[in-house]
Amino acid sequence: MSRWTNQEESQLLKLIASGKTYKELSGGFNRSENALELRVKKIVYENISNNKPADKIAKLLNMPEDKIMQYYYLLIHGIIYFFDFFCVLFL
């Protein structure tokens, strides 16, 4: 699968904000529902890590703020888990 472009990310966020589901969008992006959701989680994580307020992100994406924070924390735990797993294997 090809890398995401800025234009694709922007289009994805606009469509999510308009109420489209990952299932509805997966065919148009030629990516799985999981890939779309993971991309949104990554974007949320990057924005919160760069001190963007979660409430503003939630408003832009038309999502509840607790969902935004859930995305953020799920990605953090995934990164920590991967790092721990990597250390066990290679250190």
Side-chain angles (χ1 to χ4, degrees):
M1 183 59 44
S2 62
R3 291 184 148 298
W4 283 87
T5 65
N6 290 340
Q7 182 180 0
E8 287 174 317
E9 286 183 343
S10 179
Q11 182 182 15
L12 173 62
L13 296 177
K14 286 177 186 173
L15 291 168
I16 291 295
S18 75
K20 298 286 185 188
T21 65
Y22 296 118
K23 185 175 186 172
E24 292 172 318
L25 298 174
S26 62
F29 281 93
N30 259 346
R31 298 175 193 265
S32 71
E33 294 171 48
N34 288 336
L36 298 179
E37 186 173 16
L38 185 58
R39 179 51 55 165
V40 173
K41 287 177 182 177
K42 180 181 179 289
I43 294 167
V44 166
Y45 172 80
E46 289 172 348
N47 278 278
I48 292 176
S49 295
N50 288 319
N51 299 319
K52 300 282 190 326
D55 62 327
K56 301 249 190 246
I57 297 168
K59 192 172 187 176
L60 287 171
L61 292 178
N62 197 24
M63 288 184 180
E65 187 175 346
D66 62 332
K67 180 81 165 181
I68 295 299
M69 294 310 298
Q70 180 185 26
Y71 277 6
Y72 176 72
Y73 289 121
L74 284 172
L75 202 56
I76 283 177
H77 290 295
I79 291 168
I80 291 169
Y81 175 79
F82 176 77
F83 180 75
D84 288 346
F85 180 74
F86 179 81
C87 289
V88 168
L89 285 177
F90 299 103
L91 298 179

